[in-house]
């Protein structure tokens, strides 16, 4: 039973918390920026193509400009040469923004434990969801997307995210 | 026409004194020598622009030297501005400093990449523009340098196979085959007939896959998104066959030294036939959209022409070389795996423009399908592994039930396949061109050195020759038509 103001409004007006309304919008209209560097980007292509169809989750508006995106998918190995670029791209994205680290390389360096490969992008930018696999299947990418959506549901506008993050390039 | 490859070897007494540069003879030496300088610290006297290429500019030391610790990573704090290089290139093209800075003729510098949708990966294309016309162009690669060659030195020969998957990841299985073919050559192993035919069928199938991705992405760059669905859906569908066969969609690791991971599964012929029919349908649909399409013609014909001699000077191979009119294909010129038995054409371009490069890939898809059909008829029954306990793992019932089998298994896994000491080169016609492996063995189970000769590296080395004088938009689709794959470009 509705209480207070809602009881007065009856069935004509639907009220909710601002957080919930905005989070609902954010969840189902994520615009991904695909930072594709290697093999994982090919599997992202599969995720976007007809069979797996990422648009079922409202995330098909792939933007290659970080300024128009709120979800960055790091698909592939990040080398030390690439790292400052990744950081710059991440910083160019407006808040709020989420990060998916796709595949073994992005998450931990993967099979490349050597002089040129960053051992996990979480040493450079904050990561929200990691996907395992080399490369992960498209289903795993969709699963990560749903996890991000789930996470967004519980967030609030009043709190800034990741302001205290410091990586190796900071 | 036959092209003979001369291999020369020079010893360097002092890396600081170095060697005379070969840039005056071959244009391909520009990047090749930079790579040697970067990785080994050997100087090339007379090289116009000797600086690092794969590692970043703040890197200290030379990673492929044996005294460089493999895990010694070095952080790069900022990207190289490359202003000096683009100005030098402008001077080469005949623009002096006054023209560059004069208000009326001021030149604009524009970066395409490293993070740009058109680069299909991470390549940095720095252009100097007059309006939309590219006056000068320099490129930076190495953003996906993953240390293949250094890592391979720490692994046994069979353990390197998963690394080769990730060279050209659009046609992973072809790299597997090229690599084991190189090792088997030095071991003196001739794989069984069934394996040879399997390798032919699978290489051609993956050549088709590679071309599908290349053309699909190139046409998306041109604005033809429908083609992407037509072509990519068929690639997606063929993952069903590939994953049933290899257990993975993309990174197959399907070969072993002396054979294949396993034989075809039951009913593979019908499945493969269904897949290639679907591919033919998808490709034909796409061709209907572009063959008589005025926009495609205007954007590709006569654009970014690469003359024959320039292509040869830069070390081009594969479809990009053939588009420039050079009929060089290792499957015809140095046949392996019974390629001389198959009836197929090597399509040749007449102009060397973007149109030729796209159309050659379309035609190669049909030729590869024809080879697959012929090979499916000819493939004999029989074992897939050679009978050689020094190379091939014993069957599991021997490993579990007798001590010789167990010891054999243990030695092969722990020590690897012992390859006789020496050095050799072997090459393979991969989807993008000649994929070669230059190996040095010290007689142990792990390679002492492996150098990959990736087709993309040399193709990208000549990129500026095509785009200087063209428009920015042409550079985008030209890059797509070359099919630069970061994994093998930077290794």
């Amino acid at each position: 039973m509705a209480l207070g103001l809602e009881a007065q409004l009856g069935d004509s007006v639907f009220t909710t918390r601002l957080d919930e309304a905005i989070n609902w919008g954010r969840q189902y209209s994520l615009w991904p920026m695909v930072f594709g560097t290697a093999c994982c980007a090919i599997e992202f292509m599969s995720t976007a193509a007809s069979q797996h169809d990422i648009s079922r989750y409202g995330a098909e508006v792939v933007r290659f400009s970080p300024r128009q995106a709120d979800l960055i998918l790091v698909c592939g190995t990040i080398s030390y040469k690439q790292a400052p670029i990744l950081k710059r791209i991440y910083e160019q994205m407006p808040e709020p923004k989420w990060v998916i680290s796709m595949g073994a390389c992005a998450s931990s360096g993967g099979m490349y434990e050597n002089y040129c490969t960053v051992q996990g992008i979480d040493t450079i930018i904050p990561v929200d969801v990691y996907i395992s696999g080399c490369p992960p299947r498209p289903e795993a990418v969709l699963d990560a997307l749903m996890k991000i959506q789930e996470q967004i549901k519980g967030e609030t506008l009043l709190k800034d995210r990741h302001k205290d993050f410091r990586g190796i390039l900071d | 026409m036959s092209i003979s490859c001369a291999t020369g070897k020079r010893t360097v007494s002092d890396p600081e004194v170095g060697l005379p540069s070969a840039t005056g003879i071959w244009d391909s030496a520009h990047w090749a020598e930079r790579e040697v300088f970067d990785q080994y610290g050997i100087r090339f006297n007379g090289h116009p622009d000797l600086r690092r290429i794969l590692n970043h500019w703040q890197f200290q030391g030379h990673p492929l030297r044996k005294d460089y610790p493999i895990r010694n990573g070095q952080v790069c704090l900022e990207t190289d501005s490359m202003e000096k290089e683009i100005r030098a290139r402008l001077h080469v093209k005949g623009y002096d400093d006054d023209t560059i800075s004069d208000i009326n003729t001021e030149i604009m510098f524009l970066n395409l990449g490293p993070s740009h949708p058109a680069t299909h990966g991470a390549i940095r294309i720095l252009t100097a523009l007059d309006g939309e016309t590219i006056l000068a162009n320099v490129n930076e690669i190495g953003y996906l340098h993953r240390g293949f060659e250094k890592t391979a030195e720490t692994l046994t020969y069979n353990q390197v196979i998963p690394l080769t998957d990730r060279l050209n990841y659009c046609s992973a299985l072809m790299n597997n085959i090229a690599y084991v073919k190189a090792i088997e050559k030095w071991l003196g192993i001739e794989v069984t007939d069934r394996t040879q035919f399997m390798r032919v069928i699978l290489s051609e199938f993956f050549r088709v896959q590679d071309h599908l991705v290349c053309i699909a992405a190139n046409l998306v760059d041109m604005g033809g998104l429908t083609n992407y669905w037509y072509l990519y859906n068929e690639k997606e569908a063929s993952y069903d066959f590939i994953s049933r066969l290899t257990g993975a969609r993309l990174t197959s690791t399907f070969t072993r030294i002396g054979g294949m991971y396993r034989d075809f599964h039951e009913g593979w012929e019908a499945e493969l036939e269904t897949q290639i029919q679907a591919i033919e349908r998808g490709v034909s649909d796409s061709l209907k959209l572009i063959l008589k399409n005025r926009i495609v013609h205007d954007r590709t014909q006569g654009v970014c022409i690469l003359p024959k001699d320039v292509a040869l000077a830069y070390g081009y191979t594969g479809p990009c070389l053939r588009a420039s009119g050079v009929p060089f294909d290792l499957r015809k010129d140095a046949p392996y795996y019974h390629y001389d038995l198959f009836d197929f054409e090597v399509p040749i371009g007449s102009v060397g423009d973007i149109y030729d490069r796209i159309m050659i890939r379309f035609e190669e898809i049909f030729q590869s399908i024809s080879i697959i059909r012929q090979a499916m008829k000819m493939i004999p029954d029989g074992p897939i592994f050679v009978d050689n306990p020094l190379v091939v793992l014993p069957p599991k019932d021997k490993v579990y039930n007798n001590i010789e089998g167990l010891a054999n298994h243990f030695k092969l896994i722990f020590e690897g396949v012992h390859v006789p000491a020496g050095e050799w080169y072997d090459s393979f016609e991969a989807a993008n061109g000649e994929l070669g492996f230059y190996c040095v063995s010290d007689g142990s189970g792990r390679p002492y050195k492996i150098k990959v000769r990736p087709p993309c590296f040399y193709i990208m080395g000549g990129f500026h020759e095509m785009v200087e004088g063209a428009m920015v938009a042409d550079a985008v689709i030209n890059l797509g038509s070359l099919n630069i794959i970061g994994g093998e470009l930077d290794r």
Side-chain angles (χ1 to χ4, degrees):
Chain A
M1 202 185 104
L3 296 167
L5 180 64
E6 285 177 38
Q8 300 295 317
L9 294 169
D11 290 338
S12 58
V13 177
F14 178 74
T15 60
T16 178
R17 289 192 302 141
L18 187 59
D19 269 350
E20 270 176 34
I22 289 180
N23 285 346
W24 175 79
R26 283 176 176 170
Q27 271 180 69
Y28 300 111
S29 62
L30 284 164
W31 285 19
M33 143 98 208
V34 182
F35 196 83
T37 60
C39 337
C40 284
I42 306 289
E43 280 302 64
F44 181 82
M45 282 168 78
S46 288
T47 316
S50 319
Q51 192 175 336
H52 297 95
D53 194 8
I54 199 169
S55 59
R56 292 178 296 160
Y57 301 86
E60 79 278 20
V61 191
V62 175
R63 292 289 127 158
F64 285 95
S65 167
R67 294 172 202 280
Q68 299 169 351
D70 52 7
L71 170 68
I72 179 169
L73 277 134
V74 182
C75 313
T77 318
I78 300 299
S79 62
Y80 285 111
K81 193 170 185 172
Q82 182 87 275
I85 298 148
L86 174 63
K87 182 164 183 284
R88 170 88 72 95
I89 296 278
Y90 176 76
E91 283 168 352
Q92 284 177 346
M93 288 169 63
E95 291 280 356
K97 52 193 171 186
W98 293 272
V99 181
I100 293 180
S101 159
M102 179 179 177
C105 287
S107 304
S108 70
M111 61 205 290
Y112 300 100
E113 194 180 353
N114 58 29
Y115 61 93
C116 43
T117 311
V118 173
Q119 302 298 301
I121 57 162
D122 50 9
T123 58
I124 300 159
I125 56 172
V127 177
D128 292 292
V129 174
Y130 300 86
I131 316 177
S132 63
C134 186
R137 296 177 61 90
E139 292 90 330
V141 182
L142 297 176
D143 182 48
L145 193 64
M146 285 154 70
K147 287 213 161 62
I148 290 275
Q149 290 178 335
E150 202 57 37
Q151 186 184 324
I152 292 172
K153 211 186 213 174
E155 282 174 3
T156 167
L157 298 172
L158 302 174
K159 200 170 155 234
D160 273 341
R161 306 170 68 251
H162 302 311
K163 280 294 177 226
D164 48 355
F165 179 85
R166 287 286 171 277
I168 53 172
L169 296 181
D170 292 295
Chain B
M1 182 176 172
S2 73
I3 296 171
S4 63
C5 295
T7 50
K9 195 178 147 192
R10 291 284 301 271
T11 45
V12 188
S13 47
D14 180 0
E16 282 304 313
V17 177
L19 291 171
S21 168
T23 46
I25 310 170
W26 298 292
D27 288 320
S28 57
H30 278 103
W31 277 24
E33 288 176 359
R34 278 178 62 192
E35 187 189 338
V36 177
F37 168 72
D38 184 4
Q39 299 282 48
Y40 290 98
I42 296 169
R43 216 152 257 299
F44 288 90
N45 302 309
H47 190 291
D49 183 24
L50 195 66
R51 63 194 158 92
R52 291 191 181 274
I53 184 162
L54 296 179
N55 292 297
H56 55 82
W57 65 290
Q58 292 174 321
F59 199 89
Q60 301 285 324
H62 302 284
L64 279 191
R65 288 189 180 178
K66 286 286 182 187
D67 60 3
Y68 191 92
I70 182 168
R71 299 210 170 90
N72 188 7
Q74 299 186 25
V75 176
C76 175
L77 293 172
E78 57 182 313
T79 309
D80 188 2
S81 80
M82 284 170 60
E83 192 182 331
K84 203 174 107 227
E85 287 76 26
I86 190 79
R87 283 188 188 276
R89 184 68 198 165
L90 276 166
H91 291 157
V92 171
K93 300 296 285 182
Y95 301 97
D96 55 18
D97 282 329
D98 289 340
T99 325
I100 295 171
S101 50
D102 188 287
I103 189 105
N104 296 312
T105 54
E106 196 181 342
I107 286 167
M108 184 175 117
F109 297 108
L110 180 74
N111 268 309
L112 298 176
S115 176
H116 188 275
T119 58
H120 301 222
I123 307 164
R124 182 167 165 211
I125 298 165
L126 175 55
T127 53
L129 301 176
D130 173 21
E132 278 192 63
T133 309
I134 299 172
L135 301 180
N137 159 243
V138 287
N139 305 299
E140 194 183 20
I141 63 164
Y143 291 103
L144 192 57
H145 180 50
R146 313 193 260 198
F148 173 93
E149 283 138 355
K150 186 85 173 172
T151 310
E153 291 168 19
T154 65
L155 303 171
T156 65
Y157 284 96
N158 267 323
Q159 284 175 330
V160 176
I161 298 170
L163 287 180
T164 63
D165 277 332
R166 290 149 182 87
L167 289 173
N168 181 348
Y169 33 76
C170 292
S171 51
L173 223 155
M174 287 183 108
N175 309 323
N176 298 160
I177 297 173
Y179 167 74
V180 292
K181 178 173 166 285
I183 306 301
E184 285 158 359
K185 176 185 172 182
W186 194 246
L187 282 164
I189 292 174
E190 169 139 13
V191 288
T192 62
D193 258 0
R194 183 165 178 87
T195 296
Q196 296 198 18
F197 278 97
M198 272 183 90
R199 288 184 181 176
V200 168
I201 291 169
L202 292 170
S203 338
E204 296 307 323
F205 192 57
F206 275 80
R207 192 187 309 280
V208 172
Q209 304 288 324
D210 197 277
H211 289 349
L212 285 177
V213 179
C214 170
I215 300 170
N218 202 351
L219 291 168
V220 172
D221 290 345
M222 237 179 280
L225 190 64
T226 318
N227 292 283
Y228 176 75
W229 309 124
Y230 283 162
L231 298 169
Y232 202 86
N233 281 355
E234 304 314 335
K235 179 177 164 62
E236 182 64 44
S238 42
Y239 280 140
D240 289 347
F241 172 72
I242 295 167
S243 44
R244 197 163 301 146
L245 181 68
T246 70
R249 285 159 56 90
L250 204 66
T251 43
S252 46
T253 318
F254 195 59
T255 61
R256 296 290 181 274
I257 295 167
M260 303 299 271
Y261 169 48
R262 60 169 169 235
D263 206 338
F264 282 126
H265 49 277
E266 206 174 304
W268 67 277
E269 291 103 331
E271 271 179 40
L272 187 57
E273 181 58 38
T274 317
Q275 300 293 357
I276 56 183
Q277 278 175 12
I279 290 170
E280 282 176 321
R281 200 165 48 241
V283 172
S284 306
D285 284 345
S286 170
L287 273 174
K288 270 182 219 152
L289 288 176
I290 65 165
L291 260 187
K292 293 181 181 166
N293 187 327
R294 179 72 193 276
I295 300 170
V296 174
H297 289 187
D298 285 353
R299 288 215 56 193
T300 58
Q301 288 180 346
V303 178
C304 293
I305 296 175
L306 182 73
K308 198 186 279 190
D309 53 330
V310 181
L312 284 172
Y314 277 95
Y316 274 52
T317 48
C320 296
L321 176 67
R322 296 192 282 271
S324 293
V326 183
F328 179 66
D329 187 324
L330 289 168
R331 294 174 297 171
K332 287 277 189 199
D333 294 288
Y336 46 89
Y337 297 156
H338 305 307
Y339 266 110
D340 44 349
L341 297 180
F342 301 114
D343 179 24
F344 70 103
E345 300 282 322
V346 175
I348 307 295
S350 51
V351 184
D353 53 5
I354 297 175
Y355 183 78
D356 279 357
R357 288 192 277 276
I358 295 175
M359 285 304 158
I360 277 193
R361 283 199 167 83
F362 269 118
E363 185 52 33
E364 283 192 6
I365 290 177
F366 291 116
Q367 293 299 329
S368 289
I369 288 175
S370 149
I371 298 175
I372 295 173
R373 290 215 170 98
Q374 293 172 48
M376 279 164 72
K377 286 202 189 92
M378 290 153 82
I379 184 168
D381 285 333
I384 50 164
F385 276 108
V386 289
D387 184 18
N388 185 345
L390 293 175
V391 174
V392 176
L393 287 178
K396 285 288 174 284
D397 61 319
K398 280 195 181 154
V399 178
Y400 295 133
N401 296 319
N402 82 46
I403 188 67
E404 287 78 20
L406 184 65
N408 188 359
H409 184 94
F410 181 85
K411 275 184 82 72
L412 274 179
I413 294 289
F414 272 75
E415 293 176 8
V417 179
H418 286 264
V419 174
E423 49 189 278
W424 72 98
Y425 176 76
D426 189 52
S427 58
F428 178 88
E429 185 69 33
N432 271 340
E434 179 176 343
L435 174 64
F437 290 88
Y438 191 95
C439 313
V440 181
S441 169
D442 55 2
S444 73
R446 292 162 204 266
Y448 185 78
K449 286 279 165 205
I450 287 189
K451 161 83 180 85
V452 188
R453 185 249 182 250
C456 281
F457 184 79
Y458 298 95
I459 290 173
M460 195 61 209
F463 183 75
H464 59 279
E465 296 281 352
M466 290 180 252
V467 297
E468 281 168 348
M471 307 280 225
V472 177
D474 298 336
V476 169
I477 54 170
N478 186 46
L479 188 72
S481 78
L482 300 176
N483 197 23
I484 303 295
I485 304 288
E488 66 172 16
L489 174 73
D490 301 331
R491 288 150 284 147

